[in-house]
């Protein structure tokens, strides 16, 4: 096992080789004010502190501290003023954990996420994003805005591919001057078609 340390800003390239013939898996680029780490046969660990940033093939992250752990640096943990972009979705939060193998990111502590392709802005205390399936699971204090819609609730699933939003936990959708409430609400963000189920209430404003 060896210890690595540095006290100045630098940038390194890690070429992670997973052999299937001569095919390599991914290149990770990272930089920071300070780096400390260990390397062994079974696990690697690197901690980047101060203006830390990491870039993989499909994601960029910056934070106060970023830790890369596990075999071939499988897990990335970012804490403090976390900002980044993944699948053309900008995000910010207090903490992020990303599994490079499963491609699942867990964002925690007042999460903000913007899907610039679909003009969707979302906020929640916790968002789990599955990069492979392009699905975001949002929990606690969920708020999503898109076009003329403002959607709130305790739990929501946003499917980027199908543009479907499924909400529960006292969900409410406001479309301009119209308001809809139910036990569960499904909204097609492309067609604006809304489906309400269970204890449905609402109000609509008609034209004069």
């Amino acid at each position: 096992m060896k210890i690595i340390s540095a006290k100045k800003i630098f940038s390194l390239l890690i070429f992670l080789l997973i052999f299937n013939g001569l095919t390599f898996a991914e290149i990770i680029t990272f930089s920071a004010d300070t780096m400390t780490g260990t390397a062994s046969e079974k696990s690697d660990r690197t901690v980047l502190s101060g203006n830390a940033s990491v870039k993989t093939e499909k994601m960029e992250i910056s934070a106060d501290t970023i830790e890369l752990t596990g075999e071939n640096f499988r897990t990335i943990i970012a804490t403090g003023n976390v900002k980044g972009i993944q699948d053309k979705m900008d995000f910010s939060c207090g903490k992020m954990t990303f599994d490079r193998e499963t491609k699942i990111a867990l964002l925690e502590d007042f999460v903000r996420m913007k899907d610039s392709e679909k003009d969707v802005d979302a906020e929640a205390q916790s968002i789990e994003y599955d990069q492979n399936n392009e699905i975001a699971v949002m929990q606690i204090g969920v708020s999503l805005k898109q076009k003329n819609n403002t959607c709130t609730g305790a739990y929501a699933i946003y499917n980027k591919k199908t543009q479907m939003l499924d909400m529960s936990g006292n969900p409410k959708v406001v479309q301009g001057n119209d308001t809809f409430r139910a036990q569960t609400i499904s909204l097609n963000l492309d067609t604006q078609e809304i489906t309400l189920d269970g204890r449905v209430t609402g109000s609509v404003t008609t034209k004069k």
Side-chain angles (χ1 to χ4, degrees):
M1 181 179 293
K2 59 182 179 180
I3 306 295
I4 308 167
S5 63
K7 292 185 178 180
K8 61 181 180 180
I9 298 177
F10 56 86
S11 182
L12 295 175
L13 289 177
I14 298 179
F15 297 89
L16 302 177
L17 303 179
I18 301 177
F19 287 96
N20 182 8
L22 295 175
T23 304
F24 67 84
E26 188 174 31
I27 299 175
I28 299 178
T29 306
F30 62 87
S31 64
D33 294 338
T34 303
M35 181 186 85
T36 60
T38 60
S40 64
E41 294 182 357
K42 295 183 178 181
S43 180
D44 302 307
R45 181 176 182 269
T46 297
V47 179
L48 308 169
S49 302
N51 300 305
S53 66
V54 169
K55 182 178 180 180
T56 68
E57 292 178 357
K58 293 186 177 182
M59 182 171 63
E60 297 180 27
I61 313 168
S62 64
D64 294 338
T65 303
I66 299 178
E67 180 179 349
L68 298 90
T69 64
E71 186 176 359
N72 285 330
F73 301 106
R74 171 176 172 171
T75 304
I76 300 174
I77 303 172
T79 54
N81 299 308
V82 181
K83 295 180 180 180
I85 182 169
Q86 182 180 29
D87 282 349
K88 297 181 180 180
M89 296 177 68
D90 297 302
F91 61 85
S92 64
C93 59
K95 181 180 179 181
M96 173 186 182
T97 304
F98 179 62
D99 188 321
R100 291 179 50 253
E101 185 172 310
T102 63
K103 303 299 182 183
I104 293 177
L106 177 60
L107 313 176
E108 301 174 278
D109 190 12
F110 192 63
V111 185
R112 291 180 175 177
M113 180 177 286
K114 179 178 179 62
D115 184 349
S116 55
E117 277 190 322
K118 302 298 182 179
D119 193 27
V120 173
D121 289 289
E123 294 182 359
Q125 284 298 313
S126 171
I127 297 180
E128 183 180 272
Y129 182 68
D130 184 335
Q131 191 178 78
N132 290 329
N133 297 306
E134 297 185 6
I135 293 175
V137 178
M138 300 174 277
Q139 299 186 66
I140 308 174
V142 177
S143 175
L144 185 144
K145 296 180 180 180
Q146 182 256 6
K147 294 181 180 179
N148 199 35
N149 299 303
T150 299
C151 312
T152 57
Y155 183 85
I157 299 176
Y158 169 57
N159 190 317
K160 183 177 180 180
K161 290 181 180 179
T162 63
Q163 279 298 283
M164 286 299 301
L165 177 68
D166 296 303
M167 305 185 68
S168 60
N170 194 30
K172 179 175 75 170
V173 174
V174 177
Q175 294 181 326
N177 295 321
D178 302 335
T179 302
F180 306 93
R181 295 178 182 269
Q183 288 184 317
T184 61
I185 298 177
S186 295
L187 175 64
N188 187 313
L189 299 175
D190 274 340
T191 65
Q192 302 299 297
E193 180 181 352
I194 187 170
T195 303
L196 300 95
D197 186 29
R199 299 178 184 175
V200 178
T201 61
S203 63
V204 294
T205 301
T206 60
K207 295 181 181 180
K208 292 183 180 180

